[in-house]
PDB file of all heavy atoms in Angstrom:
ATOM      1  N   GLY A  57      84.990 151.560 128.805  1.00  0.00           N
ATOM      2  CA  GLY A  57      85.505 151.981 127.516  1.00  0.00           C
ATOM      3  C   GLY A  57      84.759 153.159 126.918  1.00  0.00           C
ATOM      4  O   GLY A  57      85.079 153.610 125.846  1.00  0.00           O
ATOM      5  N   LEU A  82      98.241 151.257 147.742  1.00  0.00           N
ATOM      6  CA  LEU A  82      98.927 151.837 148.900  1.00  0.00           C
ATOM      7  C   LEU A  82      98.972 150.869 150.077  1.00  0.00           C
ATOM      8  O   LEU A  82     100.005 150.738 150.736  1.00  0.00           O
ATOM      9  CB  LEU A  82      98.263 153.144 149.319  1.00  0.00           C
ATOM     10  CG  LEU A  82      98.555 154.338 148.415  1.00  0.00           C
ATOM     11  CD1 LEU A  82      97.712 155.532 148.825  1.00  0.00           C
ATOM     12  CD2 LEU A  82     100.024 154.687 148.429  1.00  0.00           C
ATOM     13  N   SER A  88     104.244 145.398 151.992  1.00  0.00           N
ATOM     14  CA  SER A  88     105.189 144.557 151.258  1.00  0.00           C
ATOM     15  C   SER A  88     105.755 145.312 150.062  1.00  0.00           C
ATOM     16  O   SER A  88     105.302 146.406 149.734  1.00  0.00           O
ATOM     17  CB  SER A  88     104.514 143.268 150.792  1.00  0.00           C
ATOM     18  OG  SER A  88     103.543 143.542 149.811  1.00  0.00           O
ATOM     19  N   HIS A 110      92.057 142.932 133.826  1.00  0.00           N
ATOM     20  CA  HIS A 110      91.688 143.942 132.834  1.00  0.00           C
ATOM     21  C   HIS A 110      91.433 145.306 133.479  1.00  0.00           C
ATOM     22  O   HIS A 110      91.669 146.336 132.861  1.00  0.00           O
ATOM     23  CB  HIS A 110      90.505 143.489 131.963  1.00  0.00           C
ATOM     24  CG  HIS A 110      89.210 143.363 132.684  1.00  0.00           C
ATOM     25  ND1 HIS A 110      88.877 142.253 133.434  1.00  0.00           N
ATOM     26  CD2 HIS A 110      88.158 144.204 132.758  1.00  0.00           C
ATOM     27  CE1 HIS A 110      87.659 142.426 133.942  1.00  0.00           C
ATOM     28  NE2 HIS A 110      87.206 143.590 133.550  1.00  0.00           N
ATOM     29  N   TYR A 127     105.674 151.045 134.888  1.00  0.00           N
ATOM     30  CA  TYR A 127     105.309 151.335 136.272  1.00  0.00           C
ATOM     31  C   TYR A 127     106.137 150.485 137.231  1.00  0.00           C
ATOM     32  O   TYR A 127     106.714 150.984 138.194  1.00  0.00           O
ATOM     33  CB  TYR A 127     103.814 151.066 136.447  1.00  0.00           C
ATOM     34  CG  TYR A 127     103.285 151.221 137.844  1.00  0.00           C
ATOM     35  CD1 TYR A 127     102.921 152.470 138.332  1.00  0.00           C
ATOM     36  CD2 TYR A 127     103.110 150.113 138.676  1.00  0.00           C
ATOM     37  CE1 TYR A 127     102.408 152.612 139.615  1.00  0.00           C
ATOM     38  CE2 TYR A 127     102.606 150.254 139.953  1.00  0.00           C
ATOM     39  CZ  TYR A 127     102.262 151.505 140.414  1.00  0.00           C
ATOM     40  OH  TYR A 127     101.751 151.645 141.682  1.00  0.00           O
ATOM     41  N   ASP A 134     113.238 153.216 141.936  1.00  0.00           N
ATOM     42  CA  ASP A 134     113.118 153.981 143.181  1.00  0.00           C
ATOM     43  C   ASP A 134     113.613 153.156 144.370  1.00  0.00           C
ATOM     44  O   ASP A 134     114.293 153.677 145.258  1.00  0.00           O
ATOM     45  CB  ASP A 134     111.677 154.426 143.412  1.00  0.00           C
ATOM     46  CG  ASP A 134     111.247 155.535 142.462  1.00  0.00           C
ATOM     47  OD1 ASP A 134     112.114 156.132 141.781  1.00  0.00           O
ATOM     48  OD2 ASP A 134     110.026 155.797 142.388  1.00  0.00           O
ATOM     49  N   ILE A 153     122.403 144.934 144.391  1.00  0.00           N
ATOM     50  CA  ILE A 153     121.326 145.910 144.631  1.00  0.00           C
ATOM     51  C   ILE A 153     120.228 145.724 143.587  1.00  0.00           C
ATOM     52  O   ILE A 153     119.039 145.714 143.908  1.00  0.00           O
ATOM     53  CB  ILE A 153     121.869 147.353 144.592  1.00  0.00           C
ATOM     54  CG1 ILE A 153     122.867 147.594 145.724  1.00  0.00           C
ATOM     55  CG2 ILE A 153     120.726 148.364 144.601  1.00  0.00           C
ATOM     56  CD1 ILE A 153     122.302 147.652 147.110  1.00  0.00           C
ATOM     57  N   PHE A 172     115.635 155.803 133.592  1.00  0.00           N
ATOM     58  CA  PHE A 172     114.892 156.632 134.540  1.00  0.00           C
ATOM     59  C   PHE A 172     115.719 157.753 135.167  1.00  0.00           C
ATOM     60  O   PHE A 172     115.159 158.764 135.582  1.00  0.00           O
ATOM     61  CB  PHE A 172     114.279 155.769 135.642  1.00  0.00           C
ATOM     62  CG  PHE A 172     113.010 155.085 135.226  1.00  0.00           C
ATOM     63  CD1 PHE A 172     113.041 153.802 134.704  1.00  0.00           C
ATOM     64  CD2 PHE A 172     111.778 155.716 135.324  1.00  0.00           C
ATOM     65  CE1 PHE A 172     111.880 153.162 134.297  1.00  0.00           C
ATOM     66  CE2 PHE A 172     110.615 155.088 134.922  1.00  0.00           C
ATOM     67  CZ  PHE A 172     110.665 153.810 134.403  1.00  0.00           C
ATOM     68  N   PHE A 190     130.516 161.670 151.344  1.00  0.00           N
ATOM     69  CA  PHE A 190     130.967 160.318 151.663  1.00  0.00           C
ATOM     70  C   PHE A 190     131.924 159.857 150.583  1.00  0.00           C
ATOM     71  O   PHE A 190     131.672 160.021 149.404  1.00  0.00           O
ATOM     72  CB  PHE A 190     129.776 159.342 151.732  1.00  0.00           C
ATOM     73  CG  PHE A 190     130.179 157.922 152.043  1.00  0.00           C
ATOM     74  CD1 PHE A 190     130.445 157.544 153.351  1.00  0.00           C
ATOM     75  CD2 PHE A 190     130.326 156.991 151.040  1.00  0.00           C
ATOM     76  CE1 PHE A 190     130.820 156.249 153.650  1.00  0.00           C
ATOM     77  CE2 PHE A 190     130.703 155.687 151.317  1.00  0.00           C
ATOM     78  CZ  PHE A 190     130.954 155.317 152.624  1.00  0.00           C
ATOM     79  N   SER A 191     133.029 159.291 151.006  1.00  0.00           N
ATOM     80  CA  SER A 191     133.999 158.792 150.054  1.00  0.00           C
ATOM     81  C   SER A 191     133.879 157.288 149.933  1.00  0.00           C
ATOM     82  O   SER A 191     133.966 156.580 150.933  1.00  0.00           O
ATOM     83  CB  SER A 191     135.414 159.152 150.522  1.00  0.00           C
ATOM     84  OG  SER A 191     136.371 158.610 149.659  1.00  0.00           O
TER      85      SER A 191
END
Side-chain angles (χ1 to χ4, degrees):
L82 285 173
S88 68
H110 67 278
Y127 176 84
D134 288 347
I153 296 290
F172 280 93
F190 179 80
S191 176

